[in-house]
Amino acid sequence: MELKQAFDTVRQRSVSICAPLQTEDYVVQPVVDVSPPKWHLGHTTWFFETFVLQPNLNGYQVFNTDYNFVFNSYYESVGARVIRTDRGNLSRPGVADVYRYREYVDKEMGKLLAQDISKELHALITLGLNHEEQHQELLVTDIKYILGHNPLFPAYQEDYNFKEQPVASSHFIAFPAGIYEIGYTGEGFCFDNELNRHKVYLEEFSISSALVTNAEYLEFMKAGGYTDFRHWHAEGWDWVKTNKINAPLYWHEVDGDWMNYTLKGFRAIDPSMPLAHISYYEAAAFAAWKGLRLPTENEWEAAAPQLAWGERWEWTESAYLPYPGFVKAPGAIGEYNGKFMVSQMVLRGGSVATPPGHSRITYRNFFHPPLRWQYTGIRLAK
Amino acid sequence: MELKQAFDTVRQRSVSICAPLQTEDYVVQPVVDVSPPKWHLGHTTWFFETFVLQPNLNGYQVFNTDYNFVFNSYYESVGARVIRTDRGNLSRPGVADVYRYREYVDKEMGKLLAQDISKELHALITLGLNHEEQHQELLVTDIKYILGHNPLFPAYQEDYNFKEQPVASSHFIAFPAGIYEIGYTGEGFCFDNELNRHKVYLEEFSISSALVTNAEYLEFMKAGGYTDFRHWHAEGWDWVKTNKINAPLYWHEVDGDWMNYTLKGFRAIDPSMPLAHISYYEAAAFAAWKGLRLPTENEWEAAAPQLAWGERWEWTESAYLPYPGFVKAPGAIGEYNGKFMVSQMVLRGGSVATPPGHSRITYRNFFHPPLRWQYTGIRLAK
Amino acid sequence: MELKQAFDTVRQRSVSICAPLQTEDYVVQPVVDVSPPKWHLGHTTWFFETFVLQPNLNGYQVFNTDYNFVFNSYYESVGARVIRTDRGNLSRPGVADVYRYREYVDKEMGKLLAQDISKELHALITLGLNHEEQHQELLVTDIKYILGHNPLFPAYQEDYNFKEQPVASSHFIAFPAGIYEIGYTGEGFCFDNELNRHKVYLEEFSISSALVTNAEYLEFMKAGGYTDFRHWHAEGWDWVKTNKINAPLYWHEVDGDWMNYTLKGFRAIDPSMPLAHISYYEAAAFAAWKGLRLPTENEWEAAAPQLAWGERWEWTESAYLPYPGFVKAPGAIGEYNGKFMVSQMVLRGGSVATPPGHSRITYRNFFHPPLRWQYTGIRLAK
Amino acid sequence: MELKQAFDTVRQRSVSICAPLQTEDYVVQPVVDVSPPKWHLGHTTWFFETFVLQPNLNGYQVFNTDYNFVFNSYYESVGARVIRTDRGNLSRPGVADVYRYREYVDKEMGKLLAQDISKELHALITLGLNHEEQHQELLVTDIKYILGHNPLFPAYQEDYNFKEQPVASSHFIAFPAGIYEIGYTGEGFCFDNELNRHKVYLEEFSISSALVTNAEYLEFMKAGGYTDFRHWHAEGWDWVKTNKINAPLYWHEVDGDWMNYTLKGFRAIDPSMPLAHISYYEAAAFAAWKGLRLPTENEWEAAAPQLAWGERWEWTESAYLPYPGFVKAPGAIGEYNGKFMVSQMVLRGGSVATPPGHSRITYRNFFHPPLRWQYTGIRLAK
């Protein structure tokens, strides 16, 4: 019964996020990393249809066999997939069809959830809900990208209620050298990449109590941070020059003032707020300019109980790699995390776009170094 | 009054073409040559707003100043343009906004058309209507592309009434060598590229009375036409290999049978119908395989009074170049045709997607050699 | 005996062109259109080995069977070809090997030429010599590109004796409307693309007696010719912006003065000399800026007996297309010209790099519109 | 005196590596990661001229000021650099010029080394020698690439004396959990990336005593390793499909047998030898297929005293990141390692191409995951 309630709550939340959209906003894909909102709605539904209903609900009828082709993402085990860049070319199935698909699957899931659920099935459905929560965060950031790259700069909601707070004054918190335990422990849900819990030895370190603000980052910009290669990784410097980067994503200089696109529309930069929408390269360059560095993910996790976190995903200096004893689950579900453990950096914390309760201090988010469309920010260490 | 009636008829026709669409179909741009239907609707409206209403209707208020940025196409004289490949990324203005824009401009045009119209203004509005008719043909072909590249293969209209006819039996019609007159003459509208009327000397030639059929093209395919470089231009052969071309656009082999996507949906190939959706390279290769050639545009125009034409745009062996004495019009309108006179081939005739009365025997259509999404076909000469 | 002498003279000339090179200069390929000099030396030799010696000299032993793979160019009939962009990656066969290959083939050709030669074989060898002369022009322009794109700007020969002359004062020469005959006539060698001789009707036209000078082109540049889209084809304007073109190839602005790389080294622009190294787009834009146009190839050929020509290949307004009655030769030789008859523009005349006696007034040279590394210039018409 | 001897030995070794080359082999750059041998010879010389002689030898005259432009690599502090992909387009300076440059700089270095050398200068020259040794390894692997991608498959030396040995039988060596010390300690030279020495906590692990053999890898290939996505990282699987990878670099299937290009020429695969020339993706996929994994760099370093290593660079499961307390040196030398600490994987050990004495158990080599032209191999862990 609790699972039924969780299911209904999570599923409804995806729909609520899309409520302010016009039909056209559901369809487009301005860059490869952003997916059309209707794809997110369909894909999360397809997950339940394919991995939960088909193997577990007697007599389940697939809604539309063509949808596997359209809403599969990267699960190589399950049929051919649409080339990812093509998602924005597909006008059909339309938005109304996708909502019908959701209703159909939700109804069937209701039948299943009214039955006795094995422990394995319970875990699988819980995974599906956490999967959908991940796509809810992407829904928010992808919608922001779609609207924020439209020359009309339409607001998502004029009166959108941000959960953001100005950054409190900061100080460095010191931690002694020694052995720390890292990784998930407990009874609740966690992703496979948070396991196994294991010991690490950390040298002594200090970590900032607060995130870097827009004001601090503007100082970096005014000091010529984007034009001095010495602060940058070689790869980051190439990225700056190739893409002519001179500010965070969504920032625009208008008559000498820095403005940015927000979900409420086009606004002046608020200097007291935490910086957002920067790449790993920018995070590392800012830290180098300060004579400091980013924390490792282990340092972050060790320090987390003493930190305020959750408004911005925080780039760490750690690459996304398996923990000691990491084991992939068998079958398609095993493709969930392990296959991405190369060439990405770990982010810790959570953001204003993260569903409530979704993250935790052992949570490992990961993105490629140049990506900026998530609510990414900076916490310094030394 | 006649102009008002023409205006209303042409403007209504664009709306009618889009009537069977779902909102989502208006938005996407699967390839750079295809534009979203809502862009066509907005762009043709922007033409009247920018070139007709703003300079000529006292007190005209621009509907939305941002729309110039969104709906401009290639007119370099008129402000910065959106990068063309970006059209499919713009969810706003939405479809309803675009229709409001059309209604607003049509109403304002009604005011203007109720006034005395100078000869120059009459010509300009007539140009705008011919421009819109060109986009009506693109609307049909772009819609076909959008729906025909969707894995669900949705029909445009299940009961769409094609104007296509099976090809009649063909024979070659001979024309003697001599001087012929080429180019538009008369009182009606023509594009600048049809002028000046001038003399050409043609060697004797023969031209087929009928277009190549699907059946004839299937013979070429079965004879290995796509795998023998000898039939192809070097550039065409590279195109075949790079893009793994083995059939006309929209053709799919299913269990050994050739099917194709049509506006009525996915159907078996009808062998008696005129071949469509082939590139210049394919047209030339087919002709070479036959030991024949394509006609030049001058031969076509000389022969046209004795030919049945209008179902397919016919690739000619002529590059798109200015006629003797060609002069560009001054200002932005001068960008209409002359700037495209390089690297394209001329097509003559008209197609099932061409608005009634839009084409004529002096009409010069032009596309780049590899393009196939228009209703392009083959007529042979020798 | 005459053929033997022609053979020796032409073959020796290729070697003489390369005499001033260092071994390293024979190897590199800075862009796809430029081939390494050792490739030209090998490819022209391969032509005689493959098309002349193998089928016609009893007991001929191929020098090295791997060379077919390395020195084939675009003859699809004769085995797999090396991807063209790869030519600059091949250090072997080395320069000495290539010269040994030439000596071997020349010696075997000597045996063949001492025999009775059929008319067909005579024609084939003559084609091979004209083919080698075409590559001699490419050798000069490719060497210029290789040395002129080296940051050390090494001279080909400090005391290189240019055949260039300052441009004489110019006037327009008028030609009446009427029928003219176009295409090769006579007993000598011509390429297949110069046939058949046929009648054309030309409207009256005037053509400049002289080529455009560097001084005249500098005026265009100073008048902002490269920054005003109105002079340009749409495709040309994209080319200017994408490649940031602001001057002819090899021109560099140094402290406010225009310099250019020449085969003698880096020199100040000589204003009286004929302009060189411009694309078709630049030629057409210059003409548009002048309120004039380029001649068609038919006009050029009709006027040629009254023109001084030969220092620069002259861009015409004509696309490269077959003449009436053009027939491809059978077999690999048939791939010579016909397969390139799409997307290229015709150039007429000849250049300082053209071997003496190689060109003639019916000669049709052709290149893609953006290419500039040939000695291309402008003659105006109206 | 010892430094002078080291200098002479290292400098001579670069020349010896190139002794078997033809002049043409020094010039080409088949892919961006491979540099022309003459560039390596010039660049290592430029390092001594720019960082050692110019600041430290009174009255030193730069050999040729243009060479800074040609032989700089990635040192952003020192003038504009040639785009890296352009190295293979430069025929000048020629090979003889580069050797003259070496002789000139060596002679001037002789003068400097005859003087009293400060501790800092001693360290800088030692860095220069270790830098040259790194390029000596690249010289070998780049020469192999240049010759091994030539259709004639020329041998580097027919009688080249490989230091390779067949792989001994292998077993797993177990290590207990606990704290280990990692990083360089001692008086000799090390790179900045090997510092600081620090503690890590390792869970218990086992590591193979031997490298994977060609025979073992052939089993993976026969078992369909390249066609089953489940073994691969998502990024690795894309790499396999995009590049149609089905074997290690230099392997070719000829009539059903696997051959490979070696420095001695084209040979049958020797099953007993250690596998070489595989990407990180392939290493990880092979380990996954075995149900094992790659060691981390910390595990490798902890185990190294008990391992035989040095024939192959061994991919580890560790990303290349700074050690705790890592500090970049100031100035251009500071660009040496830190700027590459993103998106690369660590390799440990050394290879048959590594100069004797160059590597050590704390040595951290690093390459991007898809690169294969180094002598890279696999050691398994669990």
Side-chain angles (χ1 to χ4, degrees), chain B residues 268-344:
Chain B
I269 298 287
D270 181 339
S272 66
M273 297 301 285
L275 171 70
H277 297 300
I278 42 94
S279 68
Y280 173 75
Y281 305 129
E282 288 164 299
F286 177 86
W289 174 73
K290 279 284 198 187
L292 299 166
R293 61 175 176 85
L294 304 178
T296 65
E297 65 167 323
N298 289 337
E299 289 169 345
W300 193 96
E301 188 168 325
Q306 300 182 41
L307 303 177
W309 57 267
E311 283 191 33
R312 300 285 182 262
W313 285 105
E314 306 175 22
W315 286 110
T316 72
E317 203 174 67
S318 300
Y320 182 49
L321 292 167
Y323 281 170
F326 171 73
V327 182
K328 285 207 291 190
I333 296 299
E335 296 187 50
Y336 206 90
N337 273 312
K339 69 193 291 184
F340 297 115
M341 288 177 175
V342 65
S343 303
Q344 309 209 44

Side-chain angles (χ1 to χ4, degrees), chain C residues 201-212:
Chain C
Y201 183 92
L202 300 179
E203 303 282 340
E204 65 175 323
F205 68 97
S206 296
I207 192 164
S208 176
S209 63
L211 297 178
V212 169

Side-chain angles (χ1 to χ4, degrees), chain C residues 156-206:
Chain C
Y156 168 64
Q157 280 186 300
E158 297 282 352
D159 57 351
Y160 184 74
N161 186 15
F162 274 102
K163 291 174 286 180
E164 294 179 326
Q165 303 286 341
V167 176
S169 69
S170 74
H171 58 280
F172 276 86
I173 311 170
F175 290 82
I179 289 180
Y180 292 80
E181 297 228 5
I182 298 296
Y184 186 75
T185 179
E187 297 294 304
F189 172 85
C190 76
F191 283 108
D192 56 0
N193 62 11
E194 301 169 58
L195 299 172
N196 289 338
R197 189 161 171 90
H198 61 286
K199 292 193 182 73
V200 301
Y201 183 92
L202 300 179
E203 303 282 340
E204 65 175 323
F205 68 97
S206 296

Side-chain angles (χ1 to χ4, degrees), chain C residues 20 22-25 27-30 38 66-67 69-70 88-97 146-147 149-152 154-155, chain D residues 20 22-25 27-30 38 66-67 69-70 88-97 146-147 149-152 154-155:
Chain C
Q22 294 188 4
T23 299
E24 296 87 341
D25 301 327
V27 180
V28 298
Q29 179 179 42
K38 78 182 172 90
D66 288 333
Y67 282 19
F69 191 58
V70 175
N89 299 338
L90 300 184
S91 61
R92 312 286 180 93
V95 175
D97 291 327
I146 288 166
L147 300 179
H149 285 78
N150 187 298
L152 309 182
Chain D
Q22 294 189 4
T23 299
E24 295 86 342
D25 301 328
V27 180
V28 299
Q29 179 179 41
K38 77 182 172 90
D66 288 333
Y67 282 19
F69 191 59
V70 174
N89 299 338
L90 300 184
S91 61
R92 312 285 180 93
V95 174
D97 291 327
I146 288 165
L147 300 178
H149 285 79
N150 187 297
L152 309 183

Side-chain angles (χ1 to χ4, degrees), chain B residues 24-250:
Chain B
E24 296 87 342
D25 302 327
Y26 285 90
V27 180
V28 299
Q29 179 178 39
V31 288
V32 64
D33 300 297
V34 166
S35 293
K38 77 182 173 88
W39 185 87
H40 286 297
L41 295 177
H43 168 70
T44 48
T45 303
W46 168 90
F47 186 103
F48 286 108
E49 178 174 69
T50 303
F51 297 121
V52 177
L53 289 172
Q54 282 192 263
N56 294 297
L57 183 62
N58 252 344
Y60 176 75
Q61 298 287 324
V62 166
F63 182 72
N64 183 327
T65 50
D66 288 333
Y67 282 19
N68 181 48
F69 191 60
V70 175
F71 291 128
N72 191 346
S73 63
Y74 49 73
Y75 298 92
E76 300 276 356
S77 311
V78 189
R81 56 175 177 169
V82 180
I83 302 303
R84 197 166 180 225
T85 47
D86 282 344
R87 285 179 194 164
N89 298 339
L90 301 183
S91 61
R92 313 285 181 93
V95 174
D97 291 326
V98 173
Y99 277 117
R100 269 192 291 278
Y101 179 37
R102 288 186 73 88
E103 282 160 25
Y104 176 83
V105 164
D106 285 354
K107 196 173 142 206
E108 299 293 306
M109 281 295 296
K111 291 182 196 167
L112 185 70
L113 290 164
Q115 300 174 9
D116 272 353
I117 300 282
S118 71
K119 196 170 164 187
E120 288 73 25
L121 185 53
H122 193 289
L124 183 61
I125 293 169
T126 304
L127 178 63
L129 294 176
N130 278 273
H131 171 255
E132 181 140 354
E133 287 178 338
Q134 291 183 312
H135 281 276
Q136 286 169 1
E137 175 140 16
L138 292 172
L139 266 172
V140 174
T141 56
D142 291 4
I143 289 167
K144 181 168 183 179
Y145 195 98
I146 288 165
L147 300 178
H149 285 77
N150 188 297
L152 309 182
F153 284 140
Y156 168 66
Q157 280 187 299
E158 298 282 354
D159 57 351
Y160 184 73
N161 185 13
F162 275 100
K163 291 173 286 181
E164 293 179 327
Q165 303 285 342
V167 176
S169 70
S170 74
H171 58 281
F172 277 87
I173 311 171
F175 291 82
I179 289 179
Y180 292 80
E181 298 227 6
I182 297 295
Y184 187 75
T185 180
E187 297 294 303
F189 171 84
C190 77
F191 283 109
D192 56 359
N193 62 12
E194 300 170 58
L195 299 174
N196 289 338
R197 188 163 173 88
H198 61 285
K199 294 194 181 71
V200 300
Y201 183 91
L202 300 180
E203 303 282 341
E204 66 175 323
F205 68 98
S206 294
I207 193 164
S208 175
S209 64
L211 298 177
V212 169
T213 64
N214 288 331
E216 290 173 288
Y217 200 78
L218 273 164
E219 281 177 50
F220 168 70
M221 289 165 60
K222 281 175 195 156
Y226 281 102
T227 56
D228 186 342
F229 69 88
R230 289 176 306 170
H231 311 315
W232 298 82
H233 288 102
E235 183 178 300
W237 185 238
D238 282 345
W239 172 81
V240 164
K241 287 186 299 182
T242 302
N243 300 286
K244 297 184 183 122
I245 305 291
N246 69 341
L249 188 66
Y250 297 120

Side-chain angles (χ1 to χ4, degrees), chain D residues 326-347:
Chain D
F326 171 75
V327 181
K328 285 208 291 190
I333 296 299
E335 295 186 52
Y336 205 89
N337 272 312
K339 68 193 292 183
F340 297 115
M341 288 177 174
V342 65
S343 304
Q344 310 209 40
M345 300 305 284
V346 171
L347 300 105

